[in-house]
């Protein structure tokens, strides 16, 4: 949260439990994410740091929490992905959104208007 705050992003402390928690810290926060999800909720794992991280398997099993991986590549390949998206005419599949428009980005993905929504934090 400190990195987000330093970039000017408004950060709120978790309040209670959530249906879905996205772990995208790039660090060792999977177990913390599990602590903030409701029973039968979902934790989407986006971090690909290569670390072995602790996980409260008992909580996951007893509360029937789904831990879902998200296939992704390393960030240094992003510029190539953007270039290929343009070269192959796939612009309608990948769309850039201002961070302020995050709700619309999620709606567009959920309604299958785009395959990949990218949030611009600048």
């Amino acid at each position: 949260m400190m990195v987000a705050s330093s970039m000017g992003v408004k950060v709120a402390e978790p309040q209670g439990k959530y249906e879905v928690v996205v772990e995208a810290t790039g660090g060792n926060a999977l177990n913390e994410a599990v602590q903030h999800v409701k029973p039968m909720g979902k934790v989407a794992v986006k971090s690909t740091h290569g670390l072995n991280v602790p996980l409260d398997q008992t909580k996951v099993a007893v509360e029937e929490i789904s831990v879902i991986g998200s296939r992704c590549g390393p960030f240094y390949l992003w510029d190539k992905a953007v270039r290929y998206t343009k070269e192959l005419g796939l612009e309608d599949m990948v769309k850039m959104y201002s961070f302020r428009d995050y709700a619309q980005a999620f709606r567009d993905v959920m309604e299958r208007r785009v395959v990949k929504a990218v949030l611009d934090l600048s």
Side-chain angles (χ1 to χ4, degrees):
M1 288 195 281
M2 291 174 53
V3 173
S5 295
S6 71
M7 295 174 68
V9 175
K10 183 178 176 184
V11 177
E13 289 294 323
Q15 303 290 320
K17 306 277 184 172
Y18 303 90
E19 296 288 332
V20 177
V21 174
V22 178
E23 193 290 294
T25 65
N28 186 1
L30 179 59
N31 215 33
E32 183 177 350
V34 167
Q35 301 308 314
H36 294 289
V37 72
K38 291 181 178 181
M40 299 185 74
K42 296 175 178 61
V43 175
V45 181
K46 193 64 180 160
S47 292
T48 54
H49 44 65
L51 303 172
N52 288 320
V53 298
L55 176 64
D56 184 345
Q57 280 185 251
T58 300
K59 182 174 180 63
V60 169
V62 170
E63 295 187 9
E64 300 180 59
I65 296 169
S66 297
V67 178
I68 304 163
S70 175
R71 184 176 179 164
C72 62
F75 189 74
Y76 69 87
L77 294 176
W78 182 245
D79 61 334
K80 289 181 183 177
V82 170
R83 188 177 75 239
Y84 290 140
T85 296
K86 290 177 183 175
E87 286 178 13
L88 297 172
L90 305 175
E91 292 93 342
D92 292 341
M93 294 176 66
V94 179
K95 185 173 178 185
M96 182 81 72
Y97 296 81
S98 163
F99 184 74
R100 289 180 198 84
D101 297 327
Y102 71 91
Q104 184 63 51
F106 278 96
R107 277 193 299 274
D108 286 353
V109 170
M110 296 305 293
E111 294 171 6
R112 305 271 190 226
R113 290 189 198 126
V114 296
V115 174
K116 185 100 168 160
V118 179
L119 297 177
D120 182 355
L121 299 177
S122 61

